[in-house]
Amino acid sequence: MNSIGATAQPDASGAPPKQMPYIPNLKLNDGNEIPMIGYGLGTANFKRNDSSFDQAIVDITVKAIKTGYFHLDGAEVYGNEEELGAAIKQAGIPREKLYVVTKLNPTKKQNTQEAFERSLKKLGLDYVDLYLIHAPYMADTPDELQTIWADLEAIKASGRARSIGVSNFLQEHLETILKTAKVTPAINQIEFHPYLQHSDLLDFHRRHRIAVSCYAPLTPITRQDAQGPVPEIWRRLATKYGVSESEIGLRWCIDQGLIVLTTSSKEDRLVKYLSKLPLFKLTPKEVEEVAEAGKTVHYRAFWRDKFDADDRR
């Protein structure tokens, strides 16, 4: 799989093209690699399962793929796996260049194998690169959660999911499945931004070599009720590096070795992310400055009904 980046065209003299800077892939604990920035089909593209086929989702996803977003983050519960599959087909990018993610619906009890097969059918694919348990709350007991994880292990063993992982898991949920797991989760996809840094959870991930994929990384500037000091720091750093505040926010995650997802529907913004993010890095001091400022505020945008109001994990 190629890293995310761009190749320049030959100049007027006919000299060979130069490889432009790129965002490297991240190697997972199972040896597979994942692009460190992905296009998410949630949030803006989310639709109810009973709603009609939405060509607009296909169109923006095709634009994202053709822009260079080969990491595509979908989910059964987003209700748009068919649109994602149509976009993959329409974009015409070779399957081996794409990194496709989908997730087991956490809102209902169902047979894991059957749910996975439905997802593959909707996507029009023979395999996905990553299959996740979308949240631990579909299981009523630790034993049930361990059984669902065993189902994912069987899917991985079949070759129809290259990697398997989880999403929205706290340390206690990870500890539950690790008690019986034959395969350690490759990734935990969580809401992560300066106002939700999850205390000791990142250290737990690192100890077990579980990668972190961040959704809602730009919450300090996209949520009006997320009031705090971070936007001012991002503005100052954006001026220093000649980039946008959003690019500072994404780079803050990448510079900590974390995968980031964007759900932007604006093509020009998607282009700028891929062209600007590889050109600069925050210093360790700047990463720490943002982190320390973010710790003064606690804000969670998603799954509030499942977490305590003061839960900082």
Side-chain angles (χ1 to χ4, degrees):
M1 181 180 298
N2 295 329
S3 297
I4 296 176
T7 300
Q9 297 300 312
D11 61 24
S13 68
K18 296 180 180 179
Q19 182 67 35
M20 298 293 286
Y22 62 90
I23 300 171
N25 293 336
L26 182 69
K27 180 169 283 190
L28 302 175
N29 60 20
D30 59 9
N32 294 320
E33 295 187 3
I34 182 173
M36 290 190 71
I37 185 167
Y39 182 70
L41 274 289
T43 313
N45 291 316
F46 181 95
K47 72 182 186 70
R48 299 297 176 187
N49 286 324
D50 58 354
S51 59
S52 59
F53 188 86
D54 190 338
Q55 185 60 41
I57 295 176
V58 177
D59 293 342
I60 184 58
T61 305
V62 168
K63 289 179 181 178
I65 295 170
K66 290 188 173 181
T67 297
Y69 289 84
F70 294 165
H71 173 179
L72 304 167
D73 184 79
E76 179 187 358
V77 78
Y78 298 162
N80 54 26
E81 286 176 310
E82 290 183 5
E83 285 85 351
L84 174 54
I88 290 170
K89 184 177 181 180
Q90 185 176 325
I93 301 296
R95 174 66 184 92
E96 63 271 15
K97 290 184 177 291
L98 300 177
Y99 192 97
V100 182
V101 183
T102 196
K103 311 178 190 76
L104 179 66
N105 189 340
T107 66
K108 61 181 180 182
K109 292 185 180 296
Q110 57 182 326
N111 182 285
T112 306
Q113 295 280 352
E114 292 176 358
F116 178 70
E117 289 167 4
R118 284 195 302 271
S119 289
L120 282 185
K121 184 176 180 180
K122 289 178 180 179
L123 291 166
L125 300 176
D126 296 325
Y127 72 93
V128 295
D129 297 274
L130 178 63
Y131 192 49
L132 305 178
I133 301 175
H134 205 148
Y137 303 108
M138 63 190 301
D140 294 327
T141 66
D143 287 349
E144 188 176 358
L145 188 59
Q146 290 166 349
T147 297
I148 295 170
W149 182 250
D151 291 339
L152 262 69
E153 291 180 328
I155 290 170
K156 177 176 170 59
S158 75
R160 294 178 298 164
R162 300 288 172 84
S163 298
I164 54 175
V166 298
S167 181
N168 299 298
F169 273 45
L170 298 179
Q171 181 170 329
E172 55 259 41
H173 306 125
L174 289 167
E175 289 174 336
T176 293
I177 63 173
L178 286 174
K179 288 179 181 178
T180 58
K182 298 177 181 177
V183 177
T184 299
I187 281 179
N188 187 10
Q189 185 181 115
I190 56 176
E191 178 181 344
F192 185 88
H193 46 78
Y195 298 151
L196 189 61
Q197 297 182 53
H198 295 272
S199 184
D200 296 330
L201 184 57
L202 287 191
D203 289 337
F204 182 86
H205 285 131
R206 292 185 179 111
R207 289 199 303 272
H208 292 274
R209 298 181 60 227
I210 300 171
V212 174
S213 179
C214 310
Y215 68 83
L218 302 181
T219 291
I221 57 175
T222 58
R223 295 276 180 158
Q224 292 185 350
D225 57 336
Q227 299 294 316
V230 168
E232 178 56 37
I233 299 173
W234 283 3
R235 280 192 290 272
R236 171 165 50 80
L237 294 174
T239 298
K240 172 183 174 180
Y241 289 106
V243 298
S244 70
E245 297 164 47
S246 296
E247 285 144 15
I248 294 295
L250 296 177
R251 191 75 232 189
W252 180 75
C253 293
I254 292 170
D255 286 339
Q256 297 180 76
L258 311 178
I259 301 154
V260 289
L261 300 172
T262 176
T263 59
S264 178
S265 59
K266 296 182 179 180
E267 187 177 4
D268 61 336
R269 185 171 295 170
L270 293 173
V271 170
K272 287 180 179 177
Y273 287 167
L274 289 192
S275 62
K276 294 289 187 66
L277 285 173
L279 299 179
F280 75 101
K281 289 183 66 175
L282 300 178
T283 67
K285 184 177 180 180
E286 289 165 345
V287 170
E288 183 63 20
E289 180 186 9
V290 174
E292 289 303 311
K295 290 175 184 177
T296 64
V297 174
H298 174 65
Y299 181 93
R300 181 183 286 278
F302 297 91
W303 296 90
R304 292 179 176 180
D305 61 325
K306 298 296 185 182
F307 297 96
D308 294 334
D310 62 351
D311 175 21
R312 293 174 181 267
R313 294 174 296 178

